[in-house]
Amino acid sequence: MKTELAPPAGHHLLQFYVETETLARNVAAYFADGLRRGERALLVATPEHAAAITEKLSEKGVDLDGFTRLDARETLERISSERRPDERLFEEILGRLIRDTIAASRGFGLRVFGEMVDLLWRDGRGEDAAALENMWNRLLERQRFSLYCAYALDLFAPGSRVPALTTHTQLLPTGVDGQLERAVERAMRETLGAEAVDALLPLIRATLHPRALRPGPEATLLWVRNHLPDVAAEVLARSRAGFLSGRDAG
Amino acid sequence: VGPISLLHVEDDPNDRLIMSILFRKVAPDLELKAATDGVEAVEALSKAPRPALVLLDLKLPKKNGFEVLEWARSRPELDALPILVLTSSSERGDIDRAYELGASSYLVKSVDMAAMREIARGVAQLARLREPAA
């Protein structure tokens, strides 16, 4: 996957993933690039993901001196009051840690990966997840760091809910070298017919998307899910099959 | 069963005229209805038969496009109705606000007639796919 390796401070990246392997590879690439530049890295993840990411970082031979790990569930409890994220506690605990870590980086900066919002999302607590995203965004406005968050979400599953894209600055791409784009377009042609797709694609390309979404296959998939729910399941299933066979062949 | 209809909510008579010419050309099988302000849009959406989709300008008299969106998404019967914003604004704040209020898509008007024809062609195709039985 082509990860934006050097997101400017203030950027709030978003990744949808299905496999831990993919997530670990991408987060490790994001951290490894920063650590090699002298930046600090803060990981707020589940134990399973923390182990997979640390393993990948270790394989890359990166010096882990500037790397801090927090347990996502435990941290979420610490910043919550009456089971809901509390901005005062968020500031006291994470805000302070981030400020201190940035100061210790001697001007190099900080990259953060967090999945507390995903824990809330998976628990069906969408409002709390959105509130926590906004707390992160307010902190991003005041402190010099970038944030990468991930949701365990299968874009190819028609029933899966999609979190608010307006609270992020960029949705990271799923495929490499146009794999997903080719799979999605072929799936649309097989399902809807060439004439319909030739009419729809310029409309989809003319669409201005929510902040995090760039024109591309992810945007097209989300467009199909939102606008054509009756055929979305078939397009998504064909896209998944085409994407996976292209990826495995590659 | 009548023809598939679309509702174009637009206060500028020139923009309404251009869209009606384009639709007659690319989708003569569809019926393009017009509302000239937000209140007319709400009235049109309050009664049956409802359009297959709505093209909605944002800067409208009486009730602006954001208010129309907010009203429509508060009505369960309009929850699944595609509402495509078609406006002259490409301000990031307007785009995000429209999506937060439930816009299905956000499109910017173009002075390039070929680009507008492509939009009309895509919108017509979307309407036909949404209501294949009509």
Side-chain angles (χ1 to χ4, degrees):
Chain A
M1 194 206 81
K2 191 178 174 186
T3 306
E4 185 171 334
L5 287 172
H11 269 225
H12 188 168
L13 310 178
L14 171 66
Q15 170 94 66
F16 298 144
Y17 74 96
V18 178
E19 297 155 327
T20 295
E21 169 71 16
T22 311
L23 177 73
R25 192 173 59 238
N26 295 341
V27 178
Y30 165 72
F31 276 160
D33 180 69
L35 289 165
R36 287 189 180 119
R37 292 164 189 259
E39 295 174 31
R40 300 294 174 114
L42 170 62
L43 177 72
V44 190
T46 61
E48 181 204 355
H49 289 165
I53 292 162
T54 309
E55 183 69 29
K56 292 279 180 206
L57 271 175
S58 163
E59 283 169 17
K60 287 175 178 288
V62 180
D63 181 354
L64 297 180
D65 278 356
F67 180 48
T68 305
R69 287 168 41 154
L70 293 178
D71 181 282
R73 181 72 70 183
E74 215 174 273
T75 308
L76 182 59
E77 281 170 19
R78 288 177 64 208
I79 62 158
S80 294
S81 167
E82 297 175 357
R83 294 198 68 245
R84 305 196 71 177
D86 179 307
E87 189 144 19
R88 188 183 57 80
L89 294 171
F90 175 86
E91 286 291 338
E92 266 180 30
I93 295 164
L94 276 171
R96 179 180 299 168
L97 174 64
I98 283 169
R99 195 173 57 243
D100 292 349
T101 309
I102 291 169
S105 79
R106 293 179 301 173
F108 283 102
L110 168 69
R111 297 183 184 202
V112 178
F113 171 79
E115 55 182 354
M116 292 186 296
V117 284
D118 186 36
L119 293 177
L120 291 166
W121 186 259
R122 279 193 263 174
D123 289 347
R125 295 163 63 190
E127 269 185 41
D128 288 342
L132 186 52
E133 292 280 19
N134 287 326
M135 290 178 204
W136 277 116
N137 281 339
R138 285 190 282 275
L139 193 59
L140 278 163
E141 283 171 13
R142 297 195 309 278
Q143 300 288 343
R144 191 177 160 71
F145 69 103
S146 65
L147 174 65
Y148 179 157
C149 66
Y151 285 79
L153 185 145
D154 184 355
L155 263 185
F156 298 116
S160 54
R161 291 182 308 132
V162 178
L165 293 166
T166 50
T167 54
H168 300 86
T169 55
Q170 188 188 350
L171 174 67
L172 294 173
T174 306
V176 290
D177 301 332
Q179 278 172 358
L180 182 60
E181 188 160 18
R182 283 193 298 276
V184 171
E185 198 171 319
R186 192 180 312 123
M188 287 178 72
R189 289 187 188 282
E190 287 168 0
T191 309
L192 301 170
E195 194 182 332
V197 175
D198 287 343
L200 290 176
L201 284 178
L203 177 68
I204 297 170
R205 289 181 186 132
T207 299
L208 298 185
H209 300 287
R211 189 181 298 268
L213 201 54
R214 309 277 165 90
E218 288 86 359
T220 303
L221 277 182
L222 290 170
W223 191 96
V224 170
R225 286 167 52 125
N226 290 338
H227 292 77
L228 297 168
D230 292 347
V231 295
E234 195 175 339
V235 173
L236 295 170
R238 286 177 192 265
S239 300
R240 182 205 298 273
F243 173 64
L244 292 179
S245 70
R247 189 189 66 177
D248 295 343
Chain B
V1 177
I4 302 169
S5 73
L6 290 77
L7 179 65
H8 185 206
V9 189
E10 173 61 66
D11 62 322
D12 185 319
N14 285 322
D15 287 350
R16 283 202 306 275
L17 176 65
I18 285 166
M19 204 44 103
S20 73
I21 291 170
L22 288 173
F23 266 90
R24 274 205 301 274
K25 197 172 179 68
V26 302
D29 55 319
L30 306 188
E31 182 184 22
L32 186 69
K33 294 178 175 172
T36 60
D37 61 50
V39 170
E40 272 187 27
V42 166
E43 283 169 5
L45 292 172
S46 299
K47 59 190 179 200
R50 293 208 175 80
L53 60 79
V54 178
L55 282 171
L56 177 68
D57 190 16
L58 291 178
K59 288 175 187 144
L60 293 167
K62 296 185 184 174
K63 198 183 263 290
N64 66 39
F66 295 116
E67 292 172 297
V68 174
L69 265 174
E70 197 166 22
W71 171 85
R73 293 313 187 207
S74 70
R75 319 267 307 179
E77 70 274 21
L78 299 177
D79 193 46
L81 177 70
I83 302 179
L84 286 71
V85 167
L86 180 60
T87 175
S88 52
S89 167
S90 54
E91 295 284 324
R92 175 44 67 189
D94 286 343
I95 299 168
D96 285 346
R97 189 170 172 216
Y99 278 115
E100 280 160 8
L101 291 172
S104 311
S105 280
Y106 193 104
L107 300 156
V108 175
K109 293 174 195 170
S110 174
V111 290
D112 177 352
M113 289 303 286
M116 290 303 285
R117 191 183 60 237
E118 287 298 283
I119 286 177
R121 196 161 75 99
V123 166
Q125 187 60 53
L126 175 61
R128 291 190 199 102
L129 288 167
R130 295 279 304 193
E131 300 210 350

